[in-house]
Amino acid sequence: MKFATKAIHAGQSPDPTTGAIMTPIYQTSTYTQAAPGKHKGYEYSRGTNPTRTALEDCIAALENGKFGLAFSSGMAATETALKLLKPGDEVITGNDLYGGSYRIFTKLFEPYGIKFHFIDFSNPETIREYLNEKTRMIWVETPTNPTLQIVDILAVSKIAKEKNILLAVDNTFASPYLQNPLDLGADIVMHSVTKYISGHSDVVMGALVVNDEELYKQLFFYYNACGGTPGPQDCFLALRGIKTLHVRMKAHCENGRQVAEYLRNHPKIEKVYWPGFPDHNNHDIAKKQMRDFGGMISIVFKDSSIENTFRVASSFKVFSLAESLGGVESLINHPATMTHGSIPKEVREKVGVVDNLIRLSVGIEDIDDLLEDLKQALA
């Protein structure tokens, strides 16, 4: 099946009992057994639930993967992937990361004896400088949050495979519609389903997708044992959101392009981060591994004062000032005090996450209204 068909049908079929076209919400904690150990594939909803199974199969299909796991948040998914590591292991990751990822790496897993190297991935060969016998995982975000750095997934995967190292890719900013890391050699794909996949700012959820069955079994053990799994109502809502993912992403990309071009020519803007520009670092890689360039944009004001940044961020009428991204509505975010507030100032500023940077998640409203809102807010 092509992508749009998979988004609507993968993992789902009419309910055999009633013929209901939508997957039922199996609002149950447990399941009866004909005899001890003799059941219909479901025992307890922490581990498995039919509504969740439908969602997991659908997300796996969208990523061209074999196995999917849904979690109560993107961070629960990230934490489960990191449980594959043991004290003494090392991870190579990017120097521009979502603040929650940086926080869980440095505050939760480093104290357990896992070492993280935060590096510039723009040239994958740089990875070799940090490889040693303790390296167990490479964790990639592309495009990155919030400076939209592009990492060559195929090139990184070749290095990882040479050394038998796991490659995990956070694909949240791109969504499965724009990019499929498993096809490029990744072992694990992570999503904050909260964002583009669900797409309506009404669900908090995460997901992992893999192709290797043994890896899936390891992850499923942690998933079931630790219980960071979502309820059936949220799974139902995420499934509903996925059905329009392809339509929404087209609109995000179209609006994103026009917003980026408008901002690039604005006299009060010093820099615009958007991978669709030919002079964006690794634009050629983005063009090769992505189907379009998305609706995420970051801008840096010429006026570097925090007062001006806050004034502009609070002046929008259509864009809403809020954390998160990927919903149908347009959002703006001030990473330094919001999504990346857990990263020390000197660390984030090294990669360009300065106080006068704001991040835009361009929604699917009418483009004329979005441009007019930018015009009045920047006046």
Side-chain angles (χ1 to χ4, degrees):
M1 290 188 289
K2 301 296 184 182
F3 189 92
T5 310
K6 287 193 287 188
I8 294 169
H9 295 287
Q12 302 157 82
S13 58
D15 178 48
T17 304
T18 64
I21 195 70
M22 292 299 294
T23 302
I25 301 170
Y26 287 91
Q27 194 71 51
T28 183
S29 60
T30 192
Y31 309 82
T32 60
Q33 302 188 19
K38 186 178 181 181
H39 51 76
K40 297 179 181 180
Y42 297 93
E43 300 173 75
Y44 187 63
S45 280
R46 183 187 67 244
T48 50
N49 175 281
T51 314
R52 192 192 310 145
T53 298
L55 173 64
E56 292 170 339
D57 291 347
C58 185
I59 294 176
L62 295 180
E63 281 290 8
N64 300 325
K66 294 179 180 177
F67 307 102
L69 292 169
F71 296 84
S72 56
S73 68
M75 294 318 302
T78 299
E79 186 214 21
T80 300
L82 293 175
K83 283 173 179 168
L84 296 167
L85 304 170
K86 300 294 183 288
D89 288 348
E90 297 189 9
V91 178
I92 300 172
T93 189
N95 59 2
D96 181 38
L97 286 175
Y98 166 53
S101 299
Y102 180 89
R103 179 176 56 212
I104 202 171
F105 291 173
T106 58
K107 302 299 184 184
L108 184 62
F109 282 90
E110 276 191 350
Y112 284 102
I114 296 168
K115 185 174 182 179
F116 293 85
H117 300 277
F118 298 91
I119 75 167
D120 181 353
F121 273 135
S122 57
N123 178 4
E125 288 300 311
T126 305
I127 294 170
R128 298 186 187 278
E129 299 173 22
Y130 298 87
L131 291 172
N132 59 57
E133 68 280 358
K134 297 180 180 179
T135 310
R136 293 291 178 268
M137 180 182 286
I138 300 173
W139 183 277
V140 166
E141 209 179 272
T142 183
T144 64
N145 182 1
T147 63
L148 289 302
Q149 294 177 24
I150 300 298
V151 182
D152 188 336
I153 299 171
L154 182 60
V156 175
S157 73
K158 288 178 178 176
I159 295 170
K161 283 179 170 51
E162 284 177 20
K163 304 294 184 180
N164 197 29
I165 296 167
L166 285 172
L167 171 59
V169 177
D170 181 340
N171 201 28
T172 298
F173 263 35
S175 89
Y177 179 78
L178 296 182
Q179 183 172 269
N180 298 119
L182 293 179
D183 292 348
L184 299 169
D187 299 292
I188 302 171
V189 175
M190 195 286 289
H191 281 282
S192 174
V193 176
T194 311
K195 312 305 192 296
Y196 284 112
I197 289 179
S198 181
H200 291 78
S201 301
D202 54 8
V203 168
V204 174
M205 192 182 295
L208 297 176
V209 181
V210 301
N211 272 326
D212 183 82
E213 187 171 5
E214 287 305 310
L215 181 57
Y216 167 74
K217 288 178 179 178
Q218 282 183 277
L219 292 168
F220 182 85
F221 174 80
Y222 298 127
Y223 157 100
N224 178 51
C226 299
T229 50
Q233 176 72 32
D234 281 355
C235 292
F236 175 88
L237 289 171
L239 273 171
R240 185 192 63 174
I242 286 174
K243 291 181 185 295
T244 58
L245 177 59
H246 55 296
V247 180
R248 290 185 284 107
M249 289 308 300
K250 288 177 184 177
H252 284 298
C253 291
E254 290 168 6
N255 281 355
R257 179 178 296 278
Q258 293 189 62
V259 167
E261 290 172 351
Y262 171 80
L263 291 169
R264 196 176 205 195
N265 295 313
H266 198 284
K268 293 186 177 180
I269 304 299
E270 178 181 309
K271 186 174 182 62
V272 179
Y273 294 100
W274 182 65
F277 290 134
D279 60 352
H280 185 89
N281 190 34
N282 277 348
H283 166 76
D284 290 343
I285 300 299
K287 194 173 179 180
K288 181 175 65 174
Q289 71 187 18
M290 299 173 68
R291 299 177 185 93
D292 208 330
F293 304 108
M296 297 304 301
I297 300 164
S298 289
I299 59 175
V300 179
F301 298 114
K302 288 182 178 177
D303 183 340
S304 61
S305 69
I306 195 76
E307 293 80 13
N308 176 68
T309 303
F310 281 8
R311 180 192 64 78
V312 174
S314 303
S315 299
F316 289 91
K317 298 176 180 178
V318 178
F319 284 81
S320 296
L321 178 62
E323 296 197 10
S324 199
L325 59 104
V328 293
E329 62 286 305
S330 293
L331 300 177
I332 59 166
N333 168 272
H334 183 242
T337 56
M338 296 168 73
T339 52
H340 291 65
S342 60
I343 300 178
K345 181 180 176 70
E346 65 275 11
V347 174
R348 59 177 170 78
E349 288 193 342
K350 285 180 181 178
V351 293
V353 187
V354 291
D355 287 345
N356 53 324
L357 177 146
I358 63 171
R359 189 193 73 191
L360 288 77
S361 172
V362 180
I364 65 173
E365 301 95 338
D366 189 286
I367 187 60
D368 291 339
D369 292 325
L370 295 180
L371 294 179
E372 182 59 32
D373 198 30
L374 286 164
K375 181 180 178 181
Q376 67 83 23
L378 290 165

